[in-house]
Amino acid sequence: MPVDQHSADQRGVDRRDVLVGGLSALGGLAAGAAGGVGVARSGAAPAPAGSGPGAGSGSEADHATTVELAGSQRRPFHGEHQPGIMDAPQAHGVWVAMDLVPGADVTALQRLMRIWTQDVAQLMAGRAPYADFEPELTATTASLTVTVGIGPRVLGLRGVTATRPTWLQPLPAFPQIDRLDPRWSGGDVLLQICADSPITVSHAQWVLTKEARTIATVRWVQRGFRQGHAVTRPGETMRNLFGQVDGTVNPVPGRDDAVVWCGPSAPRWLQGGTTMVLRRIAMDLETWEEADPLTRDTSLGRRQRDGSPLTGRAETDAPDVAATDRLGLPVIDEFSHVRRSLPHEKGLTDRFLRRPYSYDDPPDPGRLTNAGLLFVAYQAELEQYLSVQRRLAEADLLNTWTTPIGSAVFAIPRGCREGEVLAQDLWA
Amino acid sequence: MPVDQHSADQRGVDRRDVLVGGLSALGGLAAGAAGGVGVARSGAAPAPAGSGPGAGSGSEADHATTVELAGSQRRPFHGEHQPGIMDAPQAHGVWVAMDLVPGADVTALQRLMRIWTQDVAQLMAGRAPYADFEPELTATTASLTVTVGIGPRVLGLRGVTATRPTWLQPLPAFPQIDRLDPRWSGGDVLLQICADSPITVSHAQWVLTKEARTIATVRWVQRGFRQGHAVTRPGETMRNLFGQVDGTVNPVPGRDDAVVWCGPSAPRWLQGGTTMVLRRIAMDLETWEEADPLTRDTSLGRRQRDGSPLTGRAETDAPDVAATDRLGLPVIDEFSHVRRSLPHEKGLTDRFLRRPYSYDDPPDPGRLTNAGLLFVAYQAELEQYLSVQRRLAEADLLNTWTTPIGSAVFAIPRGCREGEVLAQDLWA
C-alpha cells in the first residue's frame, strides 16, 4: 500500500512554519516555542502552550493558535540518551512488553531495532513511517516520546556479542509484599510510549507493535495517566489516586545526571543508557478509605493536603527525620514511607528517578475498583533502586494499602545519533 | 472521618477569585473565562484556555495562569437538562453501570438518587462531598460532568409510580452484526463521568460508586478518551483509531434541541431528558490495516485525510448522494457508511447526537490490539437511533472491520433545579 511520505513530510513542515511564522509575527514567541522542544529533553517543563498572540481578546483565533502548539509539540529522538526518561512526563503513557518469537536470533533483533529506530524517529517528528496508514493521527505529536528497553533473554540470543550484566534479570523476590501476576511481569523487549494525547499514544503503539509482529508477540500492555495535559502547572508534582503528592524528591537534570545515566564503568551499549524497573502496584482504595487523615499523613510522613513533610511547611522542604515532638517521639514515624525511602547516603547509592503513572482499570466482579500506580524507576545501577526497595519491603506503613502485582526489569540502551540503530552495540 | 468542607469551599472560591482577578487586571479576560463555564452547557467550545496575559514573553508565570484555568474550569450541574450531553465533549470519560442489590425498592432508589444528586453537585463545583477523603483531587474540576441514567429494571421496582416507556429495554438484536458480551451490556443505573483530566474522572468515579455500594454493585466499567485536552482546536471533530474524522454531522445546540431532548409528549420525568444508547464497537485494526486508502474512503464515503465527503471539498460540505461519476456510478457508494447513515427524512426521525470516545485496552493473548469506540448516542426518541441502526446492520461497508460487542440503553431523566433530586418524578 503506497503511502505518500513526501506529502506527509511537507504537511508537517508547512504546518510548523505557519505556526512559528505566525507566532513570530504576532508576539515574538518563536524562540520560546522552539526552545520548548530543546529544553524538554533536559527535563524542564515544556514550552508555554498557553501564551498565544492576542491575549486579552479571547477570540477563537487565539485559542486555535494555542492548542495547535500543544498538539504539534515535538521532542528530539536523536541524542546521547533516549527520550522519555529525564524529560517532563507527558499526560499519558503505555508500556508494552513483547517476547521474541521462538528461534529468534541476532538477525531478528537487528531487524526489529532497525524498524523501531526508523519508525520512532519518524513518529516523534510527526512524519508517517513507511507502514503508517493513519498519517493524520501521526501529525499530532503532542510531545510523543518512545523509549526502547531490552529484557534479560535478549542477551542470550545467538549472535549477540555483549554479555548480560548480572543485574539484568527479574528482581529478587520480596515475599513480604509481592503478589506478582505473570501477566504483568517480564518481557524480552519493551516499548514505553508517552504523549500528551491518548490517541497519539494509541497510534504509535499500533504502528510499532504491528511492525514488530513477525519478530515478537505482545506479552502485556499497561496504560497509565497523570493529570491531563495543561490541567496543572508545569512542574507541579502529580497526585496519585490515594490523593498523595507523588514524586517530590527526584533527581534534577544536569545536577543529578549521574543518578540516572550509566557512566564509563558500564558496558558500552549502556553508557548513556539506564536501568528501568516497572512495578505495577495495586492501591486498595476500599481500605485506604478507612484510614483517617492522621493515619494517612503518618503513614506517608507527608501531609496529603499539600505534600509537605510533617516537619515542614512546603512540599519542597527537606524532611527532618531527627525532629521529635514534646514527648520525644519522632515527628516523622520511623516506619513511614518517607522515612523508609529517604536516601541514607549522600551519594548516588540509594537515589533514583521516579516517573510514575496512575492506572484505573475495570474492577473484577464484586469489586468497586481496580486502581493503582505504574511505578517506573530509572537509575544508573539497579542496586540504587534495590537498596530502597529492600527497606520498603521490610517495613513501610503504606504497604498496608499497596501490593506489587507486576514486576519487570529492562536495560535502556544509550540514545541514537543520526544513522545509528538502537541497541546496536549489542551486536557490534 | 471529619472532612473540613468549609475549608474546601473557601479554597475553591479563593482560587477562582485569584484567577479571575489576575486575568482581569492583566488582560480583561475575566468575562471570557466566566463565559466559558456558561456557554459550555450550550455546546459551544470551552473558553480559551490559552490566551493568558503577557503573551509574547513566554515566561513560566504566563503558562501557570493558563493551565490553572484548564484545571479549574467548571460546568453547571443544575438546569433544565443534565450536563454531559449537548455540551462540548471533554477529553476523558468513563461509563459505569451498576445493578441494584436484590430486594431494592423505591426507598433504596430514592436514597441513591439523593446521594448522587448531592455528591455530583459538589464534585462539579470542586467542593468535597461528605465522604470524599481526597478533596485535593476534587479541587481539579477540569470541566467535570456527571450524567445519571436509569435502566429498564428500575421502572419495575416496588414503589416506583412511573410506568416504563415501551422502548426502555435492551435494543432489538441485530444478528447480522452483533456479537454482544454480557459483561459490556445492560445495567440498572448508569454514571457517565467526563472531564478534561483522567484523574478527575477516576476520583469522581470512586466517590460516586463507593457512596452507592450498599445499594448497588458495579456491573461494568468502560473508559474512553478523545484527543487530549488542549491538543486540537476547540470544536474540531475528533478522529477515531481508524484515523477517521468521526462525528461531523451532529445536532447543533439551540437549533436542533428537539433532536435530543424529550418534549411534552414524553412522561414527565423525561421531559427535558433524553434516551441514551451505549454501544461498544470493536474496531479491528489488524484487518483495517489491509484496506488500502481507496477502500477506506469508499467504505466511509468520506476521505480519511480531512473528513470531506467524496463529493465535496471540506469536512462540513453536505454529501451529495445523487452525484455520479463519468460512468454514471454513484460517487458515494450506496453501501458506504455515510450513505447508509445519512438522514433520509427532513425532520427528526432519523437524526441523533453522537458523543463517541475511543478505547484501547490490553489485547487478549495472541492479539496485537483491543481497540474500538464507545459509541454514545442521545436522541429524544429511541426510534431515531434505531431507524439508522437498522439500515447500518443491513448493509454498511464499515461492518467489515467493526463489531458491536456491548449494548445498553438508559433513560436520562431531566435536569435538576436547586433542591430537586435526580429522577424524582419516578416516585412523586
Side-chain angles (χ1 to χ4, degrees), chain A residues 228-264:
Chain A
H229 173 63
V231 165
T232 51
R233 285 190 188 79
E236 185 171 326
T237 315
M238 80 162 220
R239 285 186 185 269
N240 62 35
L241 291 173
F242 276 177
Q244 300 164 330
V245 175
D246 193 326
T248 300
V249 180
N250 239 354
V252 174
R255 190 192 72 189
D256 300 324
D257 280 356
V259 171
V260 175
W261 305 120
C262 301

Side-chain angles (χ1 to χ4, degrees), chain A residues 274-319:
Chain A
T274 182
T275 76
M276 174 188 171
V277 173
L278 169 56
R279 302 271 288 177
R280 185 177 181 90
I281 301 179
M283 292 164 52
D284 192 338
L285 295 179
E286 297 180 48
T287 55
W288 180 244
E289 181 65 9
E290 296 156 10
D292 63 34
L294 184 63
T295 302
R296 289 180 172 209
D297 289 358
T298 303
S299 305
L300 182 59
R302 292 181 179 273
R303 297 179 187 94
Q304 180 175 311
R305 178 178 297 237
D306 56 11
S308 60
L310 297 181
T311 54
R313 295 172 55 89
E315 183 197 334
T316 49
D317 288 349

